[in-house]
Amino acid sequence: MIRGVIAYRDDKRVATRLVVTDRSGTELSELAAQSDTFHYSPSLSPDGRRVVVTQYQPGSTSGGLWLHELERKVETRLTFESGDDTISAWSPDGREVAYSSIGGKPGNGIFRIAADRPGQGRALFTADGFAAPNAWTPDGRRL
C-alpha cells in the first residue's frame, strides 16, 4: 500500500485473451481465440518460442497447464491432474516445467513435467498448503 492506495486483481475468473505484444505493448498476435477461457500466470520458455499458461474452462474451479507454440499457434494441454495446476517455471534448458498443484492427487505441492510429454507430473515435494515455484537454479538442479 502506498499513501492509502491498494492495487489488486479481482479474481472472478472471467474470460481473458492471451496475446503477444512487443516491448512497447503493441499487440502483435493473439494466441488463444477462445473467448470463454480464463488465462492465468503465463510463463515464457527460455528460448522464447513457447508459453505455458494456466487455463480455466467456463464453470471450472481448477485449471490445467497448456503449452502454446508461438510461431505455429498450436496449443496442447500439458497437465491432466484432478487439482488446480497453476504458476509454472521453465527449467533453464526448456525441457521441463515446474508448477504448483493444489487440491488433487497425490496432494498439494510442486510438480515437474516434461514439456514434450503431456500427462501427470512427478511430485518434487508435497506441502500442507499452497506452494509455488519461482525459478530454477541456472544449472537446473534446484528450484
Side-chain angles (χ1 to χ4, degrees):
M1 185 174 351
I2 300 173
R3 296 184 187 194
V5 177
I6 295 176
Y8 72 98
R9 180 178 62 90
D10 189 7
D11 191 4
K12 293 186 179 181
R13 297 190 182 175
V14 295
T16 57
R17 294 175 58 231
L18 188 60
V19 298
V20 176
T21 65
D22 64 16
R23 291 180 186 261
S24 70
T26 302
E27 187 175 314
L28 302 175
S29 66
E30 185 173 55
L31 290 180
Q34 299 173 353
S35 62
D36 57 352
T37 301
F38 173 68
H39 302 91
Y40 179 73
S41 189
S43 179
L44 185 64
S45 66
D47 64 8
R49 298 173 58 195
R50 299 170 291 172
V51 172
V52 168
V53 64
T54 302
Q55 292 184 194
Y56 293 87
Q57 303 304 322
S60 175
T61 58
S62 61
L65 294 183
W66 287 72
L67 179 76
H68 292 261
E69 295 181 41
L70 299 180
E71 289 179 15
R72 294 182 0 169
K73 296 186 180 178
V74 172
E75 64 180 288
T76 304
R77 186 161 186 177
L78 190 57
T79 63
F80 294 89
E81 272 85 326
S82 58
D84 190 6
D85 301 334
T86 186
I87 305 179
S88 59
W90 285 90
S91 64
D93 63 9
R95 293 181 182 177
E96 292 185 289
V97 175
Y99 62 95
S100 172
S101 187
I102 191 164
K105 293 181 181 178
N108 304 337
I110 296 179
F111 294 74
R112 70 192 303 171
I113 192 165
D116 63 350
R117 280 186 244 127
Q120 188 168 358
R122 293 185 346 250
L124 289 173
F125 68 89
T126 57
D128 291 334
F130 182 75
N134 186 10
W136 295 69
T137 56
D139 64 6
R141 297 179 66 203
R142 296 185 189 106
L143 287 173

